């Protein structure tokens, strides 16, 4: 759990260890496959237990747009749920952005976690497909007092900017992953070939996982392309998104957070990290201006104290 605290860097190291003591029982051991890879870890295939029969499904999540993840530096949040008990009821969080906001609020403010969770109440809503979904109020907002917010952000503009781009990564960027990773049958096969190779599947099991998984995700990617109204060449949407982010960061600061990454930097990095090693990632680095920023974030993560 100390790794979880470190991932929400920059905070004093002592507070990180405080989190390790407080949250150990609150975070179950199971995790979304690929979450560590998206957060700057070794990647989806490498983090799965070798030979696991669930690797195929985990990989589809890890490499697909359904990663609700946020995607942050070395965030080994080995959790799908964050539970906190208050005096009135137990609230379960299944939204990674809310989990991150709650943990960061805890690290900065030191408020009791059970109180922090109540600042993010669930709300039922109907999405564009007519399905009922659960949304969380204030999900991108850190619950800090005025002094804490001033110390962390330096001004309201920086706080608002971080929220805006965290939401953009959730609402748009993450939906570009599956259509690009599984854009063609060849790319889909290449993605699953990597997964099967790293997962040490048996011959028959590997062949089934590779070809059936690739075929399924190729078809799903086409549905996602239509649902999100992407261009005929989905790479163009990915390139535009990357250059839009780079323009927002600007030339006068290394990160959106200034001299160090903020939660928006880590969110965008985490989404893109999922594609490393695949053709879509190589194309992204080659055809956009995002590589210098991406490498700076990667370096900043590597320099976080162990």
């Amino acid at each position: 759990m100390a790794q979880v605290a470190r991932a929400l860097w920059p905070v004093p190291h002592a507070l990180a260890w405080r989190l390790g003591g407080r949250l150990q029982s609150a975070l179950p051991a199971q995790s979304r496959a690929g979450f560590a890879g998206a957060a700057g870890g070794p990647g989806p295939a490498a983090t799965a237990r070798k030979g696991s029969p669930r690797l195929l499904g985990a990989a589809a999540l890890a490499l697909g747009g359904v990663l609700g993840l946020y995607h942050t530096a070395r965030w080994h949040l080995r959790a799908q749920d964050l539970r906190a008990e208050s005096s009135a009821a137990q609230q379960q969080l299944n939204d990674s952005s809310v989990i991150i906001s709650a943990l960061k609020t805890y690290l900065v403010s030191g408020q009791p976690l059970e109180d922090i969770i109540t600042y993010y109440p669930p709300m039922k809503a109907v999405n564009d497909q007519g399905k009922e979904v659960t949304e969380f109020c204030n999900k991108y907002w850190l619950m800090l007092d005025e002094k804490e917010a001033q110390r962390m952000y330096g001004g309201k503009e920086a706080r608002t900017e971080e929220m805006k781009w965290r939401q953009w990564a959730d609402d748009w960027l993450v939906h570009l992953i599956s259509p690009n990773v599984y854009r063609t049958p060849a790319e889909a096969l290449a993605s699953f070939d990597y997964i099967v190779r790293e997962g040490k599947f048996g011959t028959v099991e590997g062949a089934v996982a590779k070809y059936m998984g690739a075929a399924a995700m190729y078809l799903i990617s086409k549905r996602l392309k239509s649902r999100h109204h992407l261009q005929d060449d989905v790479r163009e949407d990915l390139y535009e998104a990357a250059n839009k982010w780079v323009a927002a960061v600007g030339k006068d600061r290394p990160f959106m957070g200034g001299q160090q990454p903020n939660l928006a930097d880590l969110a965008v990095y985490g989404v893109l990290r999922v594609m490393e090693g695949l053709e879509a990632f190589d194309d992204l680095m080659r055809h956009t201006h995002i590589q210098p920023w991406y490498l700076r974030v990667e370096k900043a993560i590597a320099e976080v104290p162990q």
Side-chain angles (χ1 to χ4, degrees), residues 8 12 15 17-18 21 40-41 67 83 101 106 109 124 129 133 143 166 175 193 202 206-207 216 241 276 284 286 302:
L8 293 174
L15 283 178
W17 285 105
R18 283 175 56 198
L67 282 173
R83 301 169 188 243
S101 294
Y106 173 84
S109 70
K124 297 294 184 181
Q129 287 74 49
V133 295
M143 298 303 174
R166 286 181 67 194
H175 297 301
D193 181 65
E276 273 201 29
L284 179 68
R286 187 180 306 115

Side-chain angles (χ1 to χ4, degrees), residues 1 44 61 94 96 106 108 129 145 166 202 206 219 226 236 257:
M1 291 311 303
L61 287 176
N94 301 318
S96 57
Y106 173 84
V108 174
Q129 287 74 49
D145 63 29
R166 286 181 67 194
L219 295 176
S226 176
E236 294 302 318

Side-chain angles (χ1 to χ4, degrees), residues 197-248:
R197 184 174 64 253
E198 295 298 324
K200 307 298 182 183
F201 280 76
T203 303
V204 176
E205 184 183 21
V208 172
K210 176 179 177 179
Y211 291 100
M212 292 189 65
M217 290 310 300
Y218 171 73
L219 295 176
I220 290 172
S221 74
K222 299 308 174 186
R223 292 181 60 186
L224 293 172
K225 173 184 174 181
S226 176
R227 177 183 299 174
H228 297 294
H229 309 292
L230 304 184
Q231 300 179 52
D232 289 338
D233 184 357
V234 293
R235 283 288 198 274
E236 294 302 318
D237 290 292
L238 184 63
Y239 298 159
E240 288 177 11
N243 286 330
K244 182 177 182 179
W245 166 255
V246 172

Side-chain angles (χ1 to χ4, degrees), residues 10-83:
V11 293
H13 203 51
L15 283 178
W17 285 105
R18 283 175 56 198
L19 178 59
R22 289 282 298 272
L23 290 182
Q24 189 167 6
S25 62
L27 293 175
Q30 71 182 86
S31 66
R32 298 181 192 178
F35 198 85
T47 55
R49 282 182 290 180
K50 295 180 180 179
S52 170
R54 295 180 294 177
L55 182 60
L56 176 59
L61 287 176
L63 292 175
V66 291
L67 282 173
L69 73 71
Y70 265 157
H71 346 359
T72 56
R74 291 190 181 227
W75 285 358
H76 297 287
L77 284 176
R78 300 187 178 279
Q80 198 170 2
D81 302 330
L82 174 63
R83 301 169 188 243

Side-chain angles (χ1 to χ4, degrees), residues 7-300:
L8 293 174
W9 160 88
V11 293
H13 203 51
L15 283 178
W17 285 105
R18 283 175 56 198
L19 178 59
R22 289 282 298 272
L23 290 182
Q24 189 167 6
S25 62
L27 293 175
Q30 71 182 86
S31 66
R32 298 181 192 178
F35 198 85
T47 55
R49 282 182 290 180
K50 295 180 180 179
S52 170
R54 295 180 294 177
L55 182 60
L56 176 59
L61 287 176
L63 292 175
V66 291
L67 282 173
L69 73 71
Y70 265 157
H71 346 359
T72 56
R74 291 190 181 227
W75 285 358
H76 297 287
L77 284 176
R78 300 187 178 279
Q80 198 170 2
D81 302 330
L82 174 63
R83 301 169 188 243
E85 291 187 10
S86 63
S87 58
Q90 183 182 73
Q91 180 175 326
Q92 177 172 303
L93 302 182
N94 301 318
D95 188 295
S96 57
S97 292
V98 180
I99 293 172
I100 290 165
S101 294
L103 290 177
K104 184 66 174 181
T105 297
Y106 173 84
L107 288 169
V108 174
S109 70
Q111 301 175 58
L113 188 60
E114 57 268 25
D115 292 342
I116 293 173
I117 298 304
T118 65
Y119 303 152
Y120 303 97
M123 178 179 65
K124 297 294 184 181
V126 178
N127 64 16
D128 294 337
Q129 287 74 49
K131 296 181 180 179
E132 186 179 79
V133 295
T134 300
E135 293 290 347
F136 291 88
C137 299
N138 312 315
K139 66 190 292 184
Y140 303 108
W141 189 262
L142 302 190
M143 298 303 174
L144 308 174
D145 63 29
E146 187 174 345
K147 290 183 179 180
E148 292 164 346
Q150 181 65 29
R151 184 173 67 250
M152 179 172 175
Y153 293 106
K156 293 182 179 179
E157 294 80 6
R159 190 178 193 180
T160 302
E161 182 181 52
E162 180 185 79
M163 290 175 55
K164 171 187 173 181
W165 288 98
R166 286 181 67 194
Q167 184 171 1
W168 174 80
D170 264 352
D171 292 347
W172 179 244
L173 185 62
V174 74
H175 297 301
L176 303 180
I177 302 303
S178 280
N180 275 279
V181 168
Y182 305 112
R183 182 181 60 158
T184 65
E187 286 182 83
L189 280 171
S191 298
F192 274 86
D193 181 65
Y194 171 80
I195 294 165
V196 170
R197 184 174 64 253
E198 295 298 324
K200 307 298 182 183
F201 280 76
T203 303
V204 176
E205 184 183 21
V208 172
K210 176 179 177 179
Y211 291 100
M212 292 189 65
M217 290 310 300
Y218 171 73
L219 295 176
I220 290 172
S221 74
K222 299 308 174 186
R223 292 181 60 186
L224 293 172
K225 173 184 174 181
S226 176
R227 177 183 299 174
H228 297 294
H229 309 292
L230 304 184
Q231 300 179 52
D232 289 338
D233 184 357
V234 293
R235 283 288 198 274
E236 294 302 318
D237 290 292
L238 184 63
Y239 298 159
E240 288 177 11
N243 286 330
K244 182 177 182 179
W245 166 255
V246 172
V249 173
K251 298 180 180 180
D252 298 329
R253 53 183 179 175
F255 309 104
M256 180 164 284
Q259 296 305 307
Q260 54 195 10
N262 65 8
L263 294 183
D265 286 290
L266 298 177
V268 174
Y269 173 84
V271 175
L272 301 181
R273 175 69 175 81
V274 175
M275 299 189 296
E276 273 201 29
L278 302 175
E279 183 179 338
F281 182 84
D282 295 338
D283 287 346
L284 179 68
M285 296 296 112
R286 187 180 306 115
H287 296 292
T288 71
H289 304 295
I290 203 168
Q291 187 173 40
W293 167 85
Y294 188 89
L295 294 177
R296 287 195 297 270
V297 177
E298 190 171 61
K299 183 174 184 290

